[in-house]
Amino acid sequence: MATSEVTGGETPERAERRGRVRLRRAAVMGVPAFAVAAALVVLTAQGAIAAQFAISGMPFVVTADRLDAQGFEQFGALDSMAEGSPNAGDTGGQVLVVVSAIKKAKLTKLCQSVELGGTYLHITAGDKGTPVSATDLTTDSTELNGKKADFDNIEIGGDASTFTKAGVKGPLGVFGQQADHVVITNLRQTNYATTAARFTLPNLHLNFSSKGC
């Protein structure tokens, strides 16, 4: 009878220990996210920048009312988690992503959220009349949606290793597209990484919330 009162047939001692592990994990995830809040939105495929990093394997959501991008490239790539990552699941520690590289970006009403064991780390910026700005921004996404996308001088089907619009070289032989300029309204992305040479976040606000973006 004692075990039947705990979800999944666990003993009270095991349930309490598992709860402490979840709390520690959420705290560990939250601290680095706060420390790198200035490096916020979506990100980098292997080889896209000099300093590569292993992704955590935890997806995060980014939304913006408007993305204005000067110098745009997009192509497929594989991101890798650290060896033995508990988030690998049945993926083998790799995630197929769409890389969006932007030379100069402005984002209006930016929101980013990541789920941490039942709560969300929630970040907003650029919602008081001055948009978020970034240079050499790269985002690694598994999903990208928008109400409308307008491209100037777009080239579709090029080899990603030959691209020049955003200053990023993709993998050799990989299909991609690039454009001089793109505007996307009601942007929503599911991302695994983000990097930028410079990220400016006016009216930055970070908190824990019961809801994501």
Side-chain angles (χ1 to χ4, degrees), residues 81-173:
M81 304 175 204
E83 186 175 356
S85 171
N87 299 317
D90 59 359
T91 66
Q94 291 187 315
V95 179
L96 179 64
V97 295
V98 175
V99 178
S100 300
I102 300 170
K103 192 62 179 177
K104 294 182 180 180
K106 290 185 178 181
L107 299 108
T108 304
K109 292 186 178 180
L110 173 71
C111 178
Q112 176 183 293
S113 63
V114 58
E115 185 179 2
L116 302 172
T119 191
Y120 291 86
L121 180 64
H122 191 267
I123 300 170
T124 59
D127 55 357
K128 295 293 184 180
T130 303
V132 168
S133 62
T135 57
D136 297 323
L137 174 68
T138 314
T139 68
D140 293 4
S141 311
T142 53
E143 186 173 0
L144 188 155
N145 297 293
K147 183 177 181 180
K148 183 180 180 181
D150 285 324
F151 295 88
D152 290 337
N153 295 327
I154 190 169
E155 302 171 5
I156 301 174
D159 188 305
S161 69
T162 68
F163 285 174
T164 59
K165 302 290 187 180
V168 171
K169 301 294 184 184
L172 178 65

Side-chain angles (χ1 to χ4, degrees), residues 179-194:
D180 289 342
H181 178 228
V182 60
V183 173
I184 302 176
T185 54
N186 292 350
L187 173 71
R188 184 177 183 87
Q189 293 177 303
T190 300
N191 301 319
Y192 277 86
T194 298

Side-chain angles (χ1 to χ4, degrees), residues 7 10 15-29 116-118:
T7 302
E10 294 179 327
E16 181 181 359
R17 185 166 58 253
R18 182 167 56 85
R20 289 199 300 268
V21 169
R22 283 181 176 176
L23 183 60
R24 282 200 302 270
R25 183 181 178 190
V28 169
M29 294 296 183
L116 302 172

Side-chain angles (χ1 to χ4, degrees), residues 36 38-45 49 53 55 60 62 79 100 112 134 136-141 189 191-197 199:
V36 299
L40 233 162
V41 182
V42 293
L43 248 301
T44 277
I49 59 173
F53 64 89
I55 62 170
F60 55 97
V62 174
D79 280 355
S100 300
Q112 176 183 293
D136 297 323
L137 174 68
T138 314
T139 68
D140 293 4
S141 311
Q189 293 177 303
N191 301 319
Y192 277 86
T194 298
T195 62
F199 221 132

